[in-house]
Amino acid sequence: MSIDEKKLFDRIRSINPKTILLRGPEGYLNLIQRIASKIEGQFNIPTIISADECYGSCDTIENDALILGAEIVLHVGHSIRTDNFGKRTIMIDVTDDISFSRIIKKSIPIIKKYKRLGLCTISQYLNALQPSKKLFEEYGFDVIIGQGQGYLRDGQIFGCRFNTVFSIKGRIDAIIFLGQSRFHALGASLSTSLPTFMLDPYSNTFENMQNETEKWYKRAILQIYKAIDAKKFGVLIGLKEGQMNINTALRIRERLINNGKNAQLFSIREISSNRLDMLSQFDAFIQTACPRISIDQRSFKKPVLSTLQTEALFGIWDGLDPKSVLEKETWF
Ligand code: SF4
């Protein structure tokens, strides 16, 4: 794993901050500590590392920086299309140079029945896209890397944004996800309904996501049906900066009330079964924060719908079929 230290140090020099806050996913905490020590050694300024969980590029902490008096936040490991985010966040790319050649070669006998492939990946393997494309082409495949859109770079997907694969789904037969994240590979599969393979260069294994996709899809639909007869809904407004969606929550509340339901808004930072168990008088919840909280978590005792599932629920109340709920370019 590496970062562009020169670029980072040049930025720090140009801003000349008195304090720096650092932030990143759990798996990068050691790397973040190394970066913090280097900054302290080089610039003789204090650094603060956020020990809170960090789920994605959306999980920024500009308000924390304001409270702590940090002029900049280095958000490590969640690349987006620009280096800057908000007023004080600098996105720091982390690159993993592992080669995909071995696993690509191993996957060919299974993948060869698909002529046209779409490649996608996550931040740290973006550098592997072009060499992998070339290699697949050498094996005779037609390969497309979807163009970047919004926050996404070319071929990049987030856990809730799949524009780069969705936009090419009519031109490919299968998706190849490069990396070690079933979370993302399943997202690509669910959002396109195309055969999707995850190629993991570390374990040198590849996985056809089809069975898991079907299970996850059924579970997402089941949650919607479980909420159909609910009378009391808790509508959750996530307080994480990039996930706060009060207008959607207000719109959903109104729609619920118009359908004769009881709806109470709640603000909440971490949506967990422990917190929701405390609100035992509610029959179901709708959360307007990260859609993956609803789609991935199995520990909730009551239905906790994402906004996408909620739209499907409203559709059912209006007599529509909830098919293709997750087949969307973005879930957020
Ligand atoms: S909303 Fe959820 S899935 Fe989307 S980027 Fe944020 S943490 Fe990831």
Side-chain angles (χ1 to χ4, degrees):
M1 299 281 178
S2 61
I3 65 157
D4 187 342
E5 278 185 16
K6 182 178 175 318
K7 187 171 156 194
L8 169 61
F9 290 171
D10 286 349
R11 282 300 300 278
I12 295 175
R13 234 169 255 120
S14 71
I15 297 168
N16 195 21
K18 291 190 181 61
T19 313
I20 295 178
L21 184 57
L22 291 99
R23 164 89 162 148
E26 234 167 65
Y28 288 166
L29 274 178
N30 287 340
L31 173 69
I32 292 170
Q33 286 175 62
R34 286 203 298 278
I35 298 171
S37 312
K38 283 194 180 170
I39 293 171
E40 296 207 356
Q42 186 97 5
F43 297 95
N44 195 26
I45 53 173
T47 59
I48 305 168
I49 299 174
S50 168
D52 282 333
E53 285 186 274
C54 174
Y55 297 111
S57 53
C58 66
D59 206 351
T60 53
I61 49 169
E62 299 230 317
N63 289 333
D64 294 16
L66 204 59
I67 294 165
L68 293 165
E71 291 89 342
I72 56 175
V73 185
L74 303 179
H75 190 121
V76 179
H78 289 130
S79 306
I80 56 171
R81 262 173 117 189
T82 60
D83 288 345
N84 301 318
F85 191 88
K87 289 201 171 101
R88 52 183 85 204
T89 301
I90 299 174
M91 308 302 283
I92 306 294
D93 297 345
V94 174
T95 302
D96 186 333
D97 284 323
I98 186 143
S99 166
F100 282 78
S101 331
R102 199 160 60 112
I103 184 58
I104 288 176
K105 190 175 171 196
K106 188 173 172 184
S107 70
I108 299 298
I110 301 295
I111 290 172
K112 70 177 179 206
K113 66 173 173 175
Y114 306 100
K115 176 87 185 84
R116 303 171 307 163
L117 304 179
L119 289 193
C120 67
T121 190
I122 47 177
S123 309
Q124 66 265 39
Y125 307 115
L126 286 169
N127 58 328
L129 282 171
Q130 286 303 336
S132 303
K133 177 176 188 284
K134 192 164 169 282
L135 191 52
F136 274 118
E137 285 169 344
E138 283 167 15
Y139 281 110
F141 294 92
D142 293 333
V143 185
I144 305 179
I145 296 173
Q147 217 176 7
Q149 289 178 43
Y151 291 124
L152 298 173
R153 295 185 186 170
D154 291 354
Q156 183 181 19
I157 58 170
F158 292 167
C160 60
R161 293 179 200 267
F162 311 99
N163 312 62
T164 52
V165 281
F166 193 87
S167 61
I168 58 171
K169 75 184 182 109
R171 295 188 283 147
I172 56 175
D173 307 315
I175 293 173
I176 303 295
F177 172 81
L178 301 174
Q180 200 181 31
S181 171
R182 301 179 87 229
F183 171 88
H184 288 93
L186 275 166
S189 175
L190 284 160
S191 72
T192 59
S193 296
L194 281 176
T196 300
F197 296 86
M198 180 180 80
L199 270 55
D200 177 353
Y202 286 97
S203 61
N204 195 36
T205 54
F206 58 92
E207 183 176 345
N208 182 342
M209 306 312 294
Q210 190 175 352
N211 290 344
E212 282 298 292
T213 301
E214 281 165 18
K215 271 193 228 157
W216 284 48
Y217 185 74
K218 281 184 191 151
R219 211 169 56 222
I221 295 285
L222 184 65
Q223 293 307 310
I224 300 169
Y225 279 99
K226 279 187 175 169
I228 281 187
D229 296 323
K231 290 190 172 47
K232 288 189 83 165
F233 283 83
V235 181
L236 313 177
I237 307 162
L239 288 179
K240 284 177 174 282
E241 287 174 11
Q243 299 179 5
M244 215 277 279
N245 215 340
I246 188 161
N247 290 335
T248 302
L250 288 170
R251 187 175 52 74
I252 287 172
R253 174 187 173 273
E254 197 181 326
R255 189 88 190 261
L256 288 168
I257 291 169
N258 289 344
N259 273 285
K261 306 291 181 181
N262 185 310
Q264 175 63 56
L265 294 170
F266 289 96
S267 67
I268 183 166
R269 204 167 299 278
E270 293 287 343
I271 301 173
S272 67
S273 54
N274 284 350
R275 297 308 302 163
L276 299 192
D277 285 352
M278 314 259 289
L279 306 169
S280 56
Q281 66 276 40
F282 289 87
D283 306 315
F285 296 93
I286 290 170
Q287 61 89 12
T288 56
C290 170
R292 300 299 295 249
I293 293 169
S294 301
I295 293 161
D296 294 48
Q297 288 206 23
R298 274 161 263 184
S299 56
F300 295 126
K301 296 193 180 75
K302 301 204 175 143
V304 180
L305 304 186
S306 61
T307 52
L308 216 56
Q309 291 163 299
T310 306
E311 288 306 325
L313 175 68
F314 292 159
I316 295 173
W317 285 346
D318 290 343
L320 302 173
D321 188 339
K323 62 179 178 215
S324 309
V325 176
L326 301 177
E327 207 176 316
K328 303 268 183 319
E329 60 188 338
T330 171
W331 291 353
F332 195 68

